Amino acid sequence: MRGEAFAPVPNRGMITISIMMANIMQGVDNSILNVALPHIQGSLSASLDQVAWALTSYIVCAAIMMPLTGWLAGRFGIKYIFLISVIGFTLASALCGAATSLGELVFFRALQGVAGAGLVPLSQATLLQINPPERHGRAMAVFGMGTICGPIMGPALGGWLTYEYSWRWVFYINLPVGMLCTVGVLIFMRQTRYVHREPFDFVGFLALSLGIGALQLMLDRGELKDWFHSSEIWIEATVAGLGFYLFTVHTITTDDRSFLNRDLLKSANFLAGTVLMFCGGLIMTGTNALLPTMLQNLMNFPALTTGLVTAPRGIGSMAAMFLVAPLITRVDNRLIILFGLLMTSAAMWQMSQFSLQMGMAQVVIAGLIQGFGLGCTQVPLNIIALSTLPRHIMTQGTAIRSLMRNLGGSVGISILVATLAQKIPGWCTRVWSKACGRTTRWRRRPIWRSRSA
């Protein structure tokens, strides 16, 4: 990509604002629903297991559709697919807010996941395409800031909307943002001139969809169903393994162009960056999901205070991204990534020393260090992994990386939840049960569990 001539893009600033609004909207929606689940459960007269499908349906559908984003963008152009995604996500949000039964809510959340799956990879691909190579560092800093802002704003915004108005407003808040984003994309974004008419690999897509969907279901419901003591988990694990096996064999042996572009596998930078992206999601997402619950349920922090105490993580990430962006072309990116990983490791070690007697300062400091390390890692990692890819596979590359980050987060949450359930002392189990108001076994009802897509 660096060898290709770059033509100036008009209205680059307005395009950036439009697509980042969609990115932030999707990020907020991923985390805003968690705080409203108890209210939804009471309003729709649903059990805990049933209302959890409002999260699971979104996660599974988004995971299945995310790899398809690259083919759709290559077939019809980024602008049209992005526009359809934003409109579909906004309409699905309105339907979720108007749902009158749990079945309707789960179905509309599934539609929301289908429409929102492409927003993040298309945003990242667009930023890389409208900026020259020398500005990719700053573009990825802006993208990272938007990606982090959403999960930070989500819980506090969701708690305020649910308390002051109703749980339905956690969905209705997307409507004005989605409308503005739609207008911006429609007016300022140009359609790409190159559109690849590649045939659709139905076999590859079906195999990958089965594998990803079954894996997400297994990870999401594993702890609730006591893992492999449940026949449901065995079925999902078998389907996932079979789907990934068939997809791998099909990709290697097919004569025609497979669903996964083989040019991606030829880039060592892309493969290494994607593996690191998976590992980052594996480590970071699980700890970030457990910390707010610990602060609220065990340390009796109000929801708003919890949001303020955990916000410094995002502040540290933003600061790091803006500091790292000018250094991308001056310092070896591998050294920046190494520094970020060391900072993250230091923060994780500090978090391992948390206790119920600590104050806010320890959480704030650990969050700042963790966020700064994450910011130092993300920007150069995206540059190394994506900037050398040809334009016609850029969107598919960003989609695969977003998928691997989400899968890493799912695996990380499942591992930490299972470890906590297995190793937690008996006295702490009783404390958790009392704090959460539970009367059943610890392993059966992890009601404090939260997740991002």
Side-chain angles (χ1 to χ4, degrees):
M1 181 174 174
R2 291 186 181 276
E4 300 177 13
F6 181 84
V9 178
N11 302 314
R12 183 169 56 192
M14 296 305 299
I15 295 175
T16 301
I17 293 175
S18 300
I19 62 178
M20 289 313 300
M21 287 172 58
N23 189 16
I24 295 174
M25 176 178 67
Q26 190 268 350
V28 168
D29 194 82
N30 280 342
S31 56
I32 198 173
L33 184 60
N34 293 322
V35 296
L37 282 181
H39 298 267
I40 297 175
Q41 182 180 349
S43 175
L44 300 181
S45 301
S47 67
L48 177 65
D49 295 351
Q50 292 171 334
V51 79
W53 280 101
L55 296 175
T56 304
S57 61
Y58 181 96
I59 294 169
V60 173
C61 291
I64 291 174
M65 287 300 298
M66 199 170 287
L68 187 61
T69 302
W71 182 86
L72 290 173
R75 176 75 175 178
F76 302 103
I78 291 181
K79 176 179 179 178
Y80 295 143
I81 300 303
F82 195 92
L83 196 59
I84 292 174
S85 297
V86 172
I87 295 174
F89 189 88
T90 306
L91 292 177
S93 298
L95 293 173
C96 288
T100 57
S101 66
L102 182 64
E104 291 181 2
L105 179 61
V106 171
F107 177 72
F108 295 144
R109 281 285 288 174
L111 294 181
Q112 201 177 29
V114 170
L119 293 179
V120 172
L122 290 176
S123 298
Q124 190 174 18
T126 302
L127 283 176
L128 288 173
Q129 291 188 4
I130 66 175
N131 287 279
E134 60 271 15
R135 292 179 59 92
H136 280 178
R138 296 182 181 180
M140 289 299 97
V142 172
F143 172 80
M145 181 181 67
T147 302
I148 291 174
C149 277
I152 292 174
M153 296 166 53
L157 182 61
W160 177 72
L161 289 172
T162 303
Y163 179 78
E164 293 290 340
Y165 300 99
S166 165
W167 64 265
R168 301 182 184 277
W169 281 93
V170 302
F171 298 109
Y172 289 150
I173 193 66
N174 292 331
L175 301 186
V177 181
M179 293 178 191
L180 289 175
C181 182
T182 300
V183 174
V185 172
L186 193 61
I187 295 176
F188 299 110
M189 185 180 289
R190 296 187 304 175
Q191 172 65 313
T192 51
R193 296 179 180 177
Y194 51 92
V195 177
H196 290 259
R197 304 291 182 180
E198 297 177 357
F200 183 70
D201 181 13
F202 180 78
V203 175
F205 173 69
L206 180 61
L208 186 60
S209 299
L210 285 175
I212 292 174
L215 178 63
Q216 286 282 5
L217 281 174
M218 183 188 76
L219 294 173
D220 191 70
R221 295 177 59 80
E223 186 61 31
L224 188 66
K225 294 295 183 179
D226 206 10
W227 290 104
F228 290 100
H229 294 282
S230 167
S231 57
E232 176 189 332
I233 302 302
W234 273 109
I235 293 173
E236 290 164 356
T238 302
V239 173
L242 181 62
F244 286 125
Y245 171 76
L246 293 176
F247 177 75
T248 302
V249 172
H250 176 75
T251 302
I252 295 175
T253 59
T254 184
D255 295 331
D256 299 327
R257 185 172 292 275
S258 61
F259 182 73
L260 177 65
N261 196 308
R262 293 176 181 173
D263 291 339
L264 291 173
L265 305 179
K266 299 177 182 178
S267 174
N269 285 347
F270 176 80
L271 292 178
T274 302
V275 171
L276 287 177
M277 179 66 74
F278 176 85
C279 294
L282 183 75
I283 297 171
M284 304 299 294
T285 307
T287 55
N288 294 332
L290 296 181
L291 182 59
T293 306
M294 171 187 170
L295 295 177
Q296 293 184 60
N297 292 345
L298 292 184
M299 300 183 68
N300 297 321
F301 281 23
L304 182 59
T305 303
T306 300
L308 295 176
V309 170
T310 55
R313 174 179 173 269
I315 297 174
S317 295
M318 293 180 193
M321 289 176 182
F322 282 109
L323 289 175
V324 167
L327 299 177
I328 293 294
T329 57
R330 303 177 184 177
V331 182
D332 190 339
N333 290 344
R334 295 172 296 180
L335 296 178
I336 301 177
I337 295 174
L338 177 61
F339 175 76
L341 293 176
L342 292 176
M343 293 284 289
T344 304
S345 300
M348 299 299 291
W349 178 84
Q350 185 175 359
M351 292 177 69
S352 70
Q353 311 301 311
F354 282 179
S355 69
L356 299 183
Q357 290 75 39
M358 67 180 180
M360 296 183 185
Q362 290 90 330
V363 182
V364 171
I365 294 174
L368 280 171
I369 298 174
Q370 186 187 55
F372 194 86
L374 179 65
C376 290
T377 303
Q378 274 195 344
V379 176
L381 198 59
N382 285 329
I383 297 299
I384 291 177
L386 297 174
S387 291
T388 56
L389 294 180
R391 287 194 174 218
H392 69 279
I393 60 174
M394 176 70 69
T395 307
Q396 187 177 90
T398 58
I400 294 298
R401 281 174 55 78
S402 297
L403 172 64
M404 294 304 294
R405 180 183 61 191
N406 291 344
L407 287 178
S410 297
V411 173
I413 290 176
S414 298
I415 291 175
L416 289 181
V417 168
T419 303
L420 186 63
Q422 292 287 345
K423 302 298 183 182
I424 192 168
W427 67 268
C428 198
T429 301
R430 291 190 292 273
V431 172
W432 270 105
S433 299
K434 182 178 179 181
C436 299
R438 294 165 51 193
T439 58
T440 55
R441 289 203 310 153
W442 163 263
R443 297 186 62 191
R444 292 293 182 182
R445 288 186 177 273
I447 66 174
W448 45 271
R449 180 181 182 184
S450 69
R451 179 189 295 275
S452 62

